[in-house]
Amino acid sequence: MRTRIAVPDNTLTRLRIALTVFFALDGFVFAGWVVRIPAIKEQTGASASALGLALLGVSAGAVITMMLTGRLCRRYGTHRVTVVCAVLLSLSVALPPLTHSAVALGAVLLLFGAAYGSINVAFNSAAVDLVGALRRPIMPSFHAAFSLGGMLGAGLGGLVAGALSPTRHLFGLTVIGLLVTAVAGRTLLRIPAPTPSPDAPRQTSAPRRHGTRTRGLVVTFGLIALCTAYGEGALADWSALHLEHDLDATPGVAAVGYSCFALAMTIGRLTGTRLLERLGQTRTLVGGGTTAALGMLLGALAPSVWAALLGFMITGLGLANLFPVAVERAGRLAGPDGVAIASTLGYGGMLLGPPAIGFMADWFALPAALTSVAALAATAAVIALLTRRAAG
């Protein structure tokens, strides 16, 4: 088992900044790919269901590698694994526009998803260590950086959609990603993982060393992450298509849909620490799930673009803190393996989401398919409510 060393407060601040940069980079790169999905769909000539199966590659790659990443973090350290995965993520985002069929697109998205899932386990595990050392519920602030990066990436994508081809745009993201990793990675590699505060709950290196109750709690938080990630993935993959095809929005306006969602997620997560300190985890989870369910019903069924955008923003506010709370709690209970389990279940939601929504869109209509996001958000609220005593 790796040894963690106590570090000074100013070093913890530098570590927090470096991790924040990697969270933001992850969101920036992912959103840059998301807003070019309509163009790449046209390039490959894929139907809605075929595109859904191709998009399955992102979640499948993530789920396949997440548990392995938990073991790599224990062996080599979360900081090293984060930097390596950031390089792989930056390189793989340039591959999708080079494909010309749904099968080829799915294959390269498998690689992209593997890098995306791995970096999420690595830097979330590093963030859990830092939260334990600082003894403050700052996990939402890291995910706020992810959302801010997503907002900037989607906004930039909307601006360049009419001027740059997907190939040039995503290659530009590769260059940006490698440069940011070179700068922030040097800081991260020089700082050891911090020792948790003596008053913080102790964690072990593998969930199998915990009792049945702890394993059950880790899975419970993983189910909440699943419901949340399903919604995030649905809006990432299908919001632009919904606005463009169902509500006749222009490509530029359609790209703004995910940006609005990401902006709302950012606002919700920036206030997440205060919200958790004031309301606690259970009220935050129940209120967030309920809000997201109502917002997504509006976003999916609204008759106008602007009403749909409002619904996306409400959904973002509701979902904002569900995934950070679920992953942080699982990590505090079972270390990197707890993060990996919760993340695997979470991205299992994304694994089910793209093909499920694609098939439902073919069978019924895309707006009807998107209401499944509201159903799962409400399910997350119910799970949090029913398990409030055990979680406490």
Side-chain angles (χ1 to χ4, degrees):
M1 185 185 301
R2 59 191 175 89
T3 301
R4 289 183 290 185
I5 305 170
V7 293
D9 288 344
N10 63 330
T11 304
L12 293 179
T13 300
R14 291 170 52 218
L15 175 57
R16 183 176 181 180
I17 293 172
L19 286 175
T20 299
V21 169
F22 278 108
F23 272 86
L25 176 64
D26 189 41
F28 180 80
V29 170
F30 185 73
W33 139 249
V34 162
V35 299
R36 302 317 296 256
I37 288 177
I40 294 176
K41 176 181 182 295
E42 182 177 353
Q43 174 180 302
T44 58
S47 65
S49 57
L51 178 63
L53 289 173
L55 294 174
L56 179 66
V58 177
S59 299
V63 169
I64 290 170
T65 57
M66 277 178 170
M67 293 306 298
L68 172 62
T69 304
R71 292 192 288 270
L72 292 175
C73 286
R74 294 199 312 273
R75 183 179 179 89
Y76 299 106
T78 56
H79 296 183
R80 290 181 182 178
V81 177
T82 296
V83 173
V84 171
C85 291
V87 172
L88 296 177
L89 180 72
S90 299
L91 293 174
S92 61
V93 75
L95 299 178
L98 303 180
T99 62
H100 297 280
S101 70
V103 174
L105 178 62
V108 300
L109 289 182
L110 191 68
L111 298 176
F112 178 68
Y116 179 71
S118 296
I119 194 173
N120 273 268
V121 170
F123 61 37
N124 272 295
S125 297
V128 168
D129 288 340
L130 184 56
V131 169
L134 294 176
R135 297 177 58 194
R136 289 196 68 212
I138 62 168
M139 196 69 167
S141 69
F142 292 115
H143 289 259
F146 172 85
S147 298
L148 179 59
M151 181 186 67
L152 294 175
L156 177 63
L159 289 175
V160 305
L164 293 180
S165 67
T167 302
R168 292 182 178 181
H169 175 202
L170 298 187
F171 179 74
L173 296 185
T174 294
V175 174
I176 293 172
L178 293 176
L179 290 175
V180 171
T181 299
V183 175
R186 292 184 63 186
T187 299
L188 197 61
L189 292 175
R190 292 176 178 177
I191 300 176
T195 302
S197 163
D199 296 330
R202 296 183 64 186
Q203 61 185 34
T204 61
S205 61
R208 65 177 178 272
R209 299 180 186 177
H210 293 274
T212 302
R213 179 177 181 275
T214 299
R215 289 196 298 270
L217 284 175
V218 169
V219 172
T220 296
F221 284 109
L223 291 176
I224 293 174
L226 182 153
C227 295
T228 306
Y230 181 98
E232 292 188 46
L235 282 164
D237 291 345
W238 296 102
S239 61
L241 288 172
H242 172 54
L243 293 173
E244 188 172 341
H245 293 169
D246 298 320
L247 300 177
D248 297 322
T250 64
V253 173
V256 171
Y258 183 72
S259 184
C260 289
F261 173 75
L263 173 62
M265 292 275 283
T266 303
I267 294 172
R269 287 170 171 174
L270 286 173
T271 59
T273 296
R274 288 190 177 184
L275 194 67
L276 285 167
E277 290 175 337
R278 178 167 296 185
L279 300 181
Q281 289 185 351
T282 298
R283 291 181 182 178
T284 300
L285 293 173
V286 173
T290 303
T291 300
L294 295 174
M296 197 60 221
L297 287 176
L298 175 61
L301 304 178
S304 69
V305 172
W306 304 113
L309 292 176
L310 175 62
F312 291 164
M313 294 189 72
I314 295 173
T315 304
L317 288 173
L319 293 180
N321 296 304
L322 271 64
F323 195 92
V325 170
V327 171
E328 189 271 337
R329 185 58 174 165
R332 292 289 291 273
L333 288 169
D337 283 330
V339 173
I341 290 172
S343 298
T344 299
L345 287 171
Y347 287 97
M350 296 183 73
L351 184 70
L352 297 173
I357 290 178
F359 285 121
M360 284 188 287
D362 279 346
W363 294 335
F364 306 105
L366 183 54
L370 289 174
T371 61
S372 61
V373 175
L376 286 184
T379 301
V382 171
I383 292 174
L385 185 63
L386 294 178
T387 59
R388 60 189 182 280
R389 291 184 180 178

